[in-house]
Structures are given as C-alpha cells and as structure tokens.
Amino acid sequence: MDTAWKSCSACKKPIGFGAIYYLCSVSTCNRKRGTRTFCSIDCFDAHVPGANHRSAWAEENVAPKS
C-alpha cells in the first residue's frame, strides 16, 4: 500500500493519507486533470507569482484517510 496520497505540486514531497494539504483558490488551478496540491503555505506562495493570479489564497483541506 502506498504511504502517499499525492505529491506537492511545488516541491514534489509526498502528501500522506489524512494529512493537511492546500489547494489554490483559482478555478483554473483546480481542474480534474490538473489540480494543484501543496504541502505547505510556503509551497503555495512559491506557486502564486509564476501562475499570474490577481487574487489567490490557499484553501486548507484534509487528504482522504486511505
């Protein structure tokens, strides 16, 4: 069984099952085929300048348990 649910879109570290992760609030970053998930606020902050967002924030979520 895998220990990681997904990997961070910025630093590529694993995001474990049941862990807190962050999503970009901009709809174009949250499509079914390419959802941007981040392991920390720092990784989200690294994403924003390159994404050219006018107004974005990180939405906290919890990964599925299994």
Side-chain angles (χ1 to χ4, degrees):
M1 182 175 197
D2 291 330
T3 58
W5 171 65
K6 283 188 176 185
S7 60
C8 177
S9 296
C11 70
K12 306 301 182 206
K13 288 182 183 175
I15 299 171
F17 289 100
I20 293 175
Y21 70 96
Y22 302 90
L23 288 174
C24 182
S25 65
V26 177
S27 63
T28 56
C29 283
N30 292 320
R31 296 187 176 167
K32 282 193 178 208
R33 297 189 90 200
T35 301
R36 309 276 185 199
T37 54
F38 304 98
C39 64
S40 67
I41 296 293
D42 289 336
C43 285
F44 170 77
D45 287 341
H47 154 76
V48 173
N52 232 0
H53 297 323
R54 292 183 188 175
S55 177
W57 59 88
E59 297 175 346
E60 186 176 293
N61 290 285
V62 178
K65 296 283 183 189
S66 60

